[in-house]
Amino acid sequence: MQHRFYGESIPFVSREEALKDANLRGYFSSAQTLADYAEVILHIKKKYSADSSPVIVFGGSYGGMLAAWFRLKYPHVALGALASSAPVLYFDNITPSNGYYTVVTKDFKESSESCYKTIKQSWFEIDKVAAKADGHSILQKKFNTCKPLEAATELKNFLDSLFSVAAQYDRPPRYPVDLVCKGIDSAPEGSDVLDRIFSGVVAYFGKKPCYNLDAFFSAETLEGWTWQTCSELVIPIGRGSNDTMFPAEPFDLKEYIEECKSAFGVPPRPHWITTYYGGHHFKEVLRRFGSNIIFSNGLRDPYSSGGVLENISDSILAVYTTKGAHCMDILPATIGDPDWVVLQRNIEIEIINGWILKYYQGLLENSS
Amino acid sequence: MQHRFYGESIPFVSREEALKDANLRGYFSSAQTLADYAEVILHIKKKYSADSSPVIVFGGSYGGMLAAWFRLKYPHVALGALASSAPVLYFDNITPSNGYYTVVTKDFKESSESCYKTIKQSWFEIDKVAAKADGHSILQKKFNTCKPLEAATELKNFLDSLFSVAAQYDRPPRYPVDLVCKGIDSAPEGSDVLDRIFSGVVAYFGKKPCYNLDAFFSAETLEGWTWQTCSELVIPIGRGSNDTMFPAEPFDLKEYIEECKSAFGVPPRPHWITTYYGGHHFKEVLRRFGSNIIFSNGLRDPYSSGGVLENISDSILAVYTTKGAHCMDILPATIGDPDWVVLQRNIEIEIINGWILKYYQGLLENSS
């Protein structure tokens, strides 16, 4: 099912125009989307005379949050939810804001201590070169960028994304963290820190005529996601101190609010997600009223830092693997899948089977 | 806590103007109100450092529905709800549409068989008189109305409201159903059917210079309620056949939709309440995921026909009295309260005490 304002589901006009219209974009929210899902599911049930057929919702990342929230808000429509890599606790200061980058750092350190150290040092080296008179052009040549560099930040943001994306999607067969680190560690004798980093870039992207620093951003999702994170989905990711391999850059809510205000004319609502869906005292509160939700995670996924990693009750369950990355369990199965992801999926299927069995048993008891 | 668009809580302009503005009145909905309540409760908890203090929400009639729905949608904000006289099942054809008038009829029949018969006959008599050349002025004189009658419907609607309101609020010390029936039954020798009915009107209102047929409508609530029932709160009250003491008048959804469209320019959403809050398969579904709700009713209240009258689970409980009327249990206690309403309140208090005790026990267990 497609979320409003993504893909083809744009109201009347183009996404860009829709996002500029304060009235239209007001419908671009998680609550509206859940309502749409409820309408569609009930319509389908009616159309196919499947009124008492159980429905299990599932999704990954933001879609995983939506799945969990749907079960919480529409338990009469969906019997259960599989929420894969859903950082439902990464709101409103429940999770420490440097959780994401702490996991990225851990992933790289585990892959290679020297790789980790090289990356940690590289930011300082970039700044040092950038400070020179022809610094930007030196960096452009060193990293063979497709466009001239206008600021060192462009390069640093690109590398930040490279390492983050590698960690987030650190899955077979490529295992990009190892790939990047092998590039960095096996750079030719005499390479300096920045040569080594570039060697990591080449390892990730392969040999190319030049490297595009915008490679990680797709306008399709970026535009919509910017509105969502500037309205309700305020995920305070930052780097609070020097305990990661990245330069410290704490999340600054005040600055964040100002940026959103200048982009959209309205400030975001940083407490709304926890007000509407809960999150604070998650264990105590959800244990009491929630049921039938699987929170699945892979611990190499930086977003697992904001995920639910312990069982809350008999039917609010955490299923995680130490090796897994973002949303791996809900990717299509392939022959080469490692045993642990096959096992994770089988556990999920068995739990869901249990819910469905119990549901039908309940129907039977109440009809007799 | 005051609901948006009622009382003093009018956005910017007057209620009338706000209701004409399609953008403004879009915020006049149950979901928006629940969100407001959540914000206010969390604000109060923060302000008074009462983060872990349990909150019980309660309300009567529509407010009772809001209380139950709040517990279902915001269980992390409210520990429980007392929903008094809340016809949560009077939507989307879950309850037979003539439920309301069936109870009104039963109340009158129980009070006096002859009163019931007189009322049942009266509609035909009104039509018969109205059909005469000077029929409207005869009726005006018979019923001593303050304004000239323009249509027999005005009188019939007034009497419909009189009997319905008497049944809905049939409580001590007045017990208006008995009062009206005594009036009807004790009309002087030789009174015809319409004299008797008028005698019931006088019994209800007392002796007055004249009788105002708009007596039952307050603009304050009527205007807002018209929008709410023409948007999401489509309660299909009708009189399907001749089994009530009223003339048959089935609920006609098509006609209803047309009326709302001509009043507001948009059609209502008759399935939205059950889509958002549930209601279909109430027993099966709510037993599984709901908890800590008391549905209280008095069976003389016509709205009890759309209420929850059986226990759904250990903590979704029905507490009703055969003698009670609309929202009686949440009225301020007085010396003259009959034993059964005192008992009903005590049961409610003990149930809620149980929830709070369990809540604190849970906190204690999880902190040790």
Side-chain angles (χ1 to χ4, degrees):
Chain A
M1 218 177 295
Q2 198 162 51
H3 189 302
R4 262 180 209 228
F5 289 86
Y6 289 112
E8 314 269 308
S9 304
I10 307 297
F12 316 125
V13 289
S14 69
R15 180 182 302 103
E16 281 187 348
E17 279 177 87
L19 281 173
K20 270 182 218 146
D21 184 325
N23 279 322
L24 277 183
R25 75 178 183 227
Y27 294 98
F28 190 0
S29 74
S30 62
Q32 178 61 58
T33 293
L34 297 185
D36 291 342
Y37 291 173
E39 291 276 12
V40 171
I41 292 171
L42 291 178
H43 172 77
I44 290 171
K45 281 190 158 194
K46 201 170 181 183
K47 190 169 173 189
Y48 294 99
S49 304
D51 188 41
S52 60
S53 298
V55 169
I56 308 292
V57 292
F58 62 97
S61 200
Y62 171 45
M65 301 199 257
L66 291 174
W69 294 339
F70 192 80
R71 169 64 189 162
L72 293 175
K73 290 296 185 191
Y74 294 84
H76 54 290
V77 180
L79 177 67
L82 169 59
S84 174
S85 301
V88 288
L89 302 180
Y90 219 136
F91 292 97
D92 214 3
N93 296 320
I94 303 170
T95 294
S97 77
N98 61 346
Y100 186 95
Y101 284 99
T102 302
V103 176
V104 176
T105 302
K106 176 188 73 63
D107 289 353
F108 276 83
K109 210 171 179 178
E110 273 175 15
S111 176
S112 155
E113 184 79 21
S114 62
C115 168
Y116 153 79
K117 278 185 183 156
T118 307
I119 294 168
K120 187 159 188 170
Q121 206 188 329
S122 67
W123 315 104
F124 171 75
E125 298 296 331
I126 292 171
D127 286 339
K128 213 169 70 183
V129 174
K132 294 184 185 173
D134 55 348
H136 290 158
S137 101
I138 299 174
L139 288 172
Q140 191 204 332
K141 271 175 211 148
K142 247 193 189 325
F143 284 87
N144 188 16
T145 67
C146 297
K147 282 191 222 159
L149 265 191
E150 280 172 30
T153 335
E154 288 173 40
L155 177 62
K156 289 197 278 186
N157 287 345
F158 166 75
L159 293 173
D160 180 322
S161 299
L162 171 65
F163 304 135
S164 301
V165 166
Q168 191 166 315
Y169 299 101
D170 194 37
R171 61 188 185 216
R174 283 188 88 218
Y175 288 111
V177 171
D178 283 349
L179 195 70
V180 170
C181 277
K182 257 182 211 146
I184 290 175
D185 287 343
S186 63
E189 193 85 6
S191 300
D192 67 11
V193 167
L194 295 188
D195 293 335
R196 288 185 175 278
I197 296 294
F198 179 60
S199 180
V201 172
V202 174
Y204 185 87
F205 285 106
K207 283 216 165 83
K208 292 202 164 189
C210 67
Y211 294 87
N212 172 14
L213 300 193
D214 293 329
F216 293 103
F217 306 104
S218 114
E220 214 268 287
T221 48
L222 190 70
E223 282 163 16
W225 191 243
T226 303
W227 162 247
Q228 294 207 270
T229 52
C230 265
S231 51
E232 55 174 357
L233 298 172
V234 179
I235 305 174
I237 293 179
R239 303 184 293 253
S241 60
N242 271 322
D243 54 357
T244 75
M245 66 184 191
F246 298 90
E249 194 184 324
F251 179 79
D252 182 335
L253 182 59
K254 235 171 154 178
E255 192 186 299
Y256 186 89
I257 289 174
E258 285 313 314
E259 281 167 20
C260 291
K261 265 165 81 173
S262 77
F264 296 103
V266 286
R269 293 164 293 156
H271 309 297
W272 174 242
I273 290 295
T274 50
T275 299
Y276 193 48
Y277 301 110
H280 291 290
H281 317 294
F282 196 76
K283 274 181 67 179
E284 290 80 6
V285 177
L286 265 78
R287 187 169 37 83
R288 260 183 229 112
F289 69 80
S291 61
N292 293 9
I293 305 176
I294 299 170
F295 289 100
S296 68
N297 278 283
L299 297 191
R300 294 186 70 76
D301 174 14
Y303 276 122
S304 67
S305 58
V308 176
L309 299 176
E310 54 178 324
N311 295 338
I312 303 286
S313 71
D314 283 357
S315 73
I316 300 201
L317 299 164
V319 179
Y320 61 85
T321 58
T322 49
K323 290 188 186 160
H326 202 55
C327 302
M328 248 188 93
D329 56 331
I330 58 167
L331 291 181
T334 62
I335 296 286
D337 284 334
D339 289 348
W340 46 265
V341 76
V342 175
L343 183 63
Q344 185 180 24
R345 285 183 190 133
N346 287 343
I347 290 171
E348 291 164 8
I349 290 166
E350 289 312 314
I351 293 169
I352 292 169
N353 281 345
W355 298 342
I356 294 173
L357 176 67
K358 218 171 164 179
Y359 167 77
Y360 281 125
Q361 282 173 334
L363 280 193
L364 195 66
E365 275 164 32
N366 283 293
S367 68
S368 62
Chain B
M1 220 177 295
Q2 198 161 52
H3 189 302
R4 262 180 209 230
F5 290 86
Y6 289 114
E8 314 269 308
S9 304
I10 308 296
F12 317 123
V13 289
S14 70
R15 179 182 303 101
E16 281 186 348
E17 277 178 87
L19 280 173
K20 270 182 216 147
D21 184 326
N23 280 321
L24 276 183
R25 77 181 181 225
Y27 294 98
F28 190 0
S29 75
S30 63
Q32 177 63 55
T33 292
L34 298 186
D36 292 342
Y37 291 173
E39 291 276 12
V40 171
I41 293 171
L42 291 179
H43 171 78
I44 290 171
K45 281 191 159 193
K46 201 169 180 184
K47 190 169 172 186
Y48 294 100
S49 304
D51 189 41
S52 59
S53 297
V55 169
I56 309 293
V57 291
F58 62 96
S61 201
Y62 171 45
M65 301 200 254
L66 290 174
W69 293 338
F70 192 80
R71 169 63 189 163
L72 292 175
K73 292 294 187 192
Y74 294 84
H76 54 291
V77 180
L79 178 68
L82 169 59
S84 174
S85 301
V88 288
L89 302 180
Y90 219 136
F91 292 99
D92 213 5
N93 296 320
I94 302 170
T95 293
S97 77
N98 60 347
Y100 186 96
Y101 284 100
T102 303
V103 177
V104 177
T105 302
K106 177 189 71 65
D107 289 352
F108 276 84
K109 210 171 180 177
E110 274 174 14
S111 175
S112 155
E113 184 79 22
S114 63
C115 170
Y116 154 80
K117 279 185 181 154
T118 308
I119 294 170
K120 186 159 189 167
Q121 207 186 328
S122 68
W123 315 105
F124 171 76
E125 298 295 332
I126 292 171
D127 286 338
K128 212 170 70 180
V129 176
K132 294 183 183 173
D134 54 349
H136 290 158
S137 97
I138 299 175
L139 288 172
Q140 191 203 334
K141 270 176 211 146
K142 250 198 187 318
F143 283 88
N144 188 18
T145 66
C146 296
K147 281 191 225 160
L149 265 190
E150 280 172 30
T153 334
E154 289 173 40
L155 177 62
K156 289 197 278 186
N157 287 344
F158 166 74
L159 293 173
D160 180 322
S161 299
L162 170 66
F163 304 136
S164 300
V165 166
Q168 191 166 316
Y169 300 100
D170 194 39
R171 61 189 185 214
R174 283 187 89 219
Y175 289 109
V177 171
D178 284 348
L179 195 71
V180 170
C181 277
K182 256 180 214 148
I184 288 175
D185 287 342
S186 63
E189 194 84 5
S191 300
D192 67 12
V193 167
L194 295 188
D195 293 334
R196 287 185 175 278
I197 296 294
F198 179 61
S199 179
V201 172
V202 174
Y204 185 87
F205 286 105
K207 283 217 165 86
K208 291 201 165 193
C210 67
Y211 294 86
N212 172 13
L213 300 192
D214 292 329
F216 293 102
F217 305 103
S218 117
E220 213 267 291
T221 49
L222 190 70
E223 283 164 16
W225 191 243
T226 302
W227 162 247
Q228 293 208 271
T229 54
C230 265
S231 51
E232 55 174 358
L233 298 171
V234 180
I235 304 174
I237 293 178
R239 302 184 294 254
S241 61
N242 272 323
D243 54 357
T244 75
M245 66 183 193
F246 298 90
E249 193 183 324
F251 180 78
D252 184 333
L253 183 59
K254 235 172 154 177
E255 192 184 298
Y256 187 88
I257 289 173
E258 285 313 314
E259 280 168 19
C260 291
K261 264 165 82 174
S262 79
F264 296 102
V266 286
R269 292 165 293 157
H271 308 297
W272 174 241
I273 290 295
T274 50
T275 300
Y276 193 50
Y277 301 110
H280 291 290
H281 316 294
F282 196 76
K283 272 181 68 182
E284 290 81 6
V285 177
L286 265 78
R287 187 170 37 82
R288 261 182 228 113
F289 70 81
S291 61
N292 293 10
I293 305 176
I294 298 170
F295 289 101
S296 67
N297 278 283
L299 297 191
R300 292 186 72 77
D301 175 12
Y303 277 122
S304 67
S305 58
V308 176
L309 298 176
E310 53 178 323
N311 295 339
I312 302 286
S313 70
D314 284 357
S315 72
I316 300 201
L317 299 164
V319 179
Y320 60 86
T321 58
T322 49
K323 290 188 186 161
H326 202 55
C327 303
M328 247 189 95
D329 55 332
I330 59 167
L331 291 181
T334 61
I335 295 286
D337 285 332
D339 288 347
W340 45 265
V341 77
V342 175
L343 183 63
Q344 185 179 24
R345 286 184 190 132
N346 287 343
I347 290 171
E348 291 165 7
I349 291 166
E350 288 312 314
I351 292 169
I352 292 170
N353 281 346
W355 298 341
I356 295 173
L357 175 66
K358 221 173 163 179
Y359 166 77
Y360 280 125
Q361 283 173 335
L363 280 193
L364 195 67
E365 275 164 32
N366 283 291
S367 67
S368 60

